[in-house]
Amino acid sequence: MAQRIILMALASLLIAGCQNTPQIQTGENAEVIDGHLVRVDNTNATLVYVDPSAHFEKYTAIMLAPLGVDNVEIVQPVTSSRLPGYRNWELTDKDKERLQKAFQESMVQQLSGTDGFPVVTSIGDNVLLITARLTRIQPKAAKDDNRSRPVGRSVVVSEGAGKLSVEVTFSDSETGEVLALAKDTRSGSSHWGINNSVTNAAEVKRVFNSWARQITAQLQNVHSRVNSGTAGD
């Protein structure tokens, strides 16, 4: 019983509040990938899989892999701010470095906060490895540089900056065995406003902070249930 409650909490990683309790599929029709990861229903994420036999409660420290930013699908914006002759939206090396830095900062800040988890750089029996990979960017406007927007147009307005999609795996740091996998898509804002490099960076940081808070809260939930004994046996 305790392990099932733990798994329910972990299944909520990267997922905003759901109306229904997440349920791990069971029986012969359960969807299984990689031989041990089972699909979780009733989530707001695109896909969630967990290993029903994993002992997540043993992990008391976190190791973060750098955010994966290679082979990211970019959905080009359809907007009047993008005119013929201007280059497509793309990630430069500097863009990738900024994304990795922002994600790392968000994760470390949330994970290592009050009643949080130490973020370590070495593997260990009690260390959970979190690996996130940016899979898709869907910007709402042309990139804010001198080659992508019309000359002389100083202000671009859009309904938010766009959407980010991520795939996150939770693995044993020593064995590398994947214990859970989630995919999610979020936007920083749905409000109309100025679209430029500063506002876009702020929205990206909000999305990263949101994912980091959700991950931290659910990991804390796992340990609080175990430590209080409310999960039962």
Side-chain angles (χ1 to χ4, degrees):
M1 181 63 176
Q3 189 168 329
R4 184 165 184 79
I5 292 177
I6 290 168
L7 288 170
M8 288 299 98
L10 263 294
S12 299
L13 291 171
L14 295 182
I15 304 169
C18 301
Q19 293 182 346
N20 300 316
T21 302
Q23 296 290 331
I24 301 174
Q25 293 183 356
T26 59
E28 61 181 14
N29 293 325
E31 183 180 340
V32 181
I33 63 173
D34 295 336
H36 68 291
L37 297 177
V38 184
R39 179 78 176 267
V40 183
D41 294 326
N42 300 330
T43 73
N44 286 344
T46 305
L47 290 173
V48 178
Y49 296 89
V50 297
D51 180 354
S53 66
H55 292 278
F56 290 99
E57 73 279 9
K58 80 172 189 175
Y59 299 104
T60 58
I62 304 297
M63 184 175 179
L64 293 172
L67 176 68
V69 288
D70 293 325
N71 302 315
V72 179
E73 178 189 3
I74 299 178
V75 180
Q76 299 301 324
V78 180
T79 170
S80 60
S81 70
R82 178 172 176 263
L83 300 178
Y86 290 88
R87 67 176 181 178
N88 283 337
W89 215 106
E90 62 182 23
L91 286 175
T92 65
D93 289 340
K94 288 186 177 180
D95 292 331
K96 294 177 180 180
E97 290 175 3
R98 283 192 287 264
L99 286 168
Q100 289 178 321
K101 180 180 179 181
F103 183 81
Q104 183 79 10
E105 289 175 346
S106 293
M107 292 295 295
V108 171
Q109 181 180 17
Q110 296 299 324
L111 286 167
S112 60
T114 304
D115 298 324
F117 299 84
V119 178
V120 300
T121 56
S122 300
I123 65 174
D125 181 66
N126 68 324
V127 178
L128 181 70
L129 173 63
I130 298 179
T131 305
R133 181 173 67 89
L134 197 62
T135 59
R136 192 183 201 207
I137 296 176
Q138 190 170 353
K140 283 293 185 71
K143 195 171 184 180
D144 184 17
D145 60 31
N146 57 12
R147 294 177 56 190
S148 303
R149 294 190 177 186
V151 176
R153 184 171 182 175
S154 59
V155 177
V156 172
V157 176
S158 67
E159 186 179 5
K163 296 180 180 180
L164 295 176
S165 297
V166 71
E167 176 182 293
V168 182
T169 58
F170 303 84
S171 311
D172 184 282
S173 65
E174 288 190 326
T175 67
E177 181 180 6
V178 176
L179 308 175
L181 179 150
K183 295 182 180 183
D184 193 34
T185 298
R186 293 189 184 183
S187 56
S189 172
S190 59
H191 301 294
W192 285 88
I194 295 175
N195 183 303
N196 59 35
S197 59
V198 175
T199 60
N200 289 346
E203 287 202 24
V204 168
K205 194 61 183 291
R206 279 195 289 271
V207 171
F208 287 167
N209 286 340
S210 176
W211 277 325
R213 282 193 298 269
Q214 188 72 20
I215 290 172
T216 302
Q218 294 303 332
L219 288 173
Q220 290 172 333
N221 187 33
V222 168
H223 284 269
S224 65
R225 288 176 181 269
V226 172
N227 293 335
S228 66
T230 58
D233 298 322

